[in-house]
Amino acid sequence: AKYVANQTVSEEEKAAKKREQIEKQLLDARKKLMPEAVDFISTLYSAQTERDLERVETEKKQSDEYFEDQYAKIDRLNEHGSLTDEQTEPRKALLAEQEKRRQAELEQQQVEIQTRQAQFDKRMAILNAIINTSVAVTKALPNLILAGIVAAQGAVQVAAIAAQPIPKYAKGTKDHPGGPFIGGDGGRSEMIITPDGN
């Protein structure tokens, strides 16, 4: 009975060690896969944002072409005498109002797409900080004080990322072709250094 009990304990210890080994391997695999999965999701989302922005740009070009064509038609009708000057100006004014509304609509779509991307980027940055913190805490775990310090640093990093505002313009703009942006956010004066150093 004692021999059987010893053998049973021995087998259970081996099985426990094997389970522990498998769990460690799974944990290591998860640590490796999580950042890769986050990067993959970020790449997919960014590609979709790029496609959405390209679609809006295409719509802007088509809109510009359409309104140019409409202005040209009004001018041709005026030149051929089908429209008088008194009839031409109100039609052009109405067309200009329609063009302005369409441009504002397309610019709003562009801002919404860029804002969604900025919000997504912020969430991914928080997720990456959490993943990196958990990996660092796991590595530091034999030393509880060090693990606590690492966890606290990770929490500070996550809080800092979460506190960053989503970039935007105070009153909108038509002149900035890049992504979302804050420049003084409506203040009286500001200094901005552009990517080319100006």
Side-chain angles (χ1 to χ4, degrees), residues 4 14 20 22 30 32 35 39 55 63 88 114 149 153 177 184 187:
V4 170
K14 286 179 187 173
E20 192 179 314
I22 291 169
R30 281 191 205 109
K32 195 175 183 182
D39 288 344
R55 176 189 48 79
S63 177
T88 300
Q114 291 168 335
I149 291 169
Q153 286 175 332

Side-chain angles (χ1 to χ4, degrees), residues 7 10 13 25 38 46 49 66 76 81 90 96 100 115 130 146 151 164 174 192:
Q7 287 300 105
S10 176
E13 285 174 352
Q25 288 171 343
V38 169
S46 295
T49 297
Y66 169 79
R76 280 196 302 274
K100 186 177 175 184
T115 300
I130 291 169
L146 182 59
Q164 291 175 350
K174 289 195 290 186
I192 298 168

